Amino acid sequence: TDLNDKIAIEQQYHKWKSCVDIYRDSLNDNVKIRVAKAYFDDGYTTSRSMAKYFNIPNTSAHNLIAEIKRELKTIYHENQRRIQG
């Protein structure tokens, strides 16, 4: 069961990684591309850190991060429907 757990974790990781790849490939707005780079590549994953990095209010940074997460969840659920349906 330990091996099965590791396999399940690995599969979940790859599902989310593919969602990130799909999300990044779909971006064509320079601001969104830069925000995604800061979030995924540079590690600014909290509102406070992203706000400081871009010199913007925490609320704005929170909204940017929330938008990324919302889009990723949408992509994930669409992929799950395709796989199951």
Side-chain angles (χ1 to χ4, degrees):
T1 63
D2 195 36
L3 180 60
N4 289 339
D5 291 342
K6 289 181 181 181
I7 290 170
I9 290 169
E10 188 73 15
Q11 288 173 336
Q12 189 71 3
Y13 169 81
H14 285 291
K15 287 178 187 176
W16 281 107
K17 175 136 178 28
S18 69
C19 292
V20 170
D21 292 340
I22 291 167
Y23 173 75
R24 292 178 87 149
D25 289 344
S26 73
L27 296 177
N28 54 20
D29 178 279
N30 286 335
V31 172
K32 288 185 178 186
I33 291 169
R34 185 63 193 113
V35 170
K37 184 177 182 325
Y39 185 80
F40 295 115
D41 300 339
D42 301 334
Y44 296 104
T45 57
T46 64
S47 299
R48 192 172 292 168
S49 66
M50 189 170 286
K52 187 174 180 181
Y53 180 71
F54 285 116
N55 193 26
I56 59 175
N58 283 351
T59 305
S60 298
H62 168 80
N63 291 336
L64 292 171
I65 291 171
E67 182 180 349
I68 289 172
K69 290 179 178 180
R70 193 169 37 254
E71 288 291 323
L72 288 175
K73 287 177 185 175
T74 300
I75 292 167
Y76 180 83
H77 292 300
E78 287 174 359
N79 284 346
Q80 289 300 102
R81 278 194 293 270
R82 268 191 224 119
I83 291 169
Q84 294 171 355

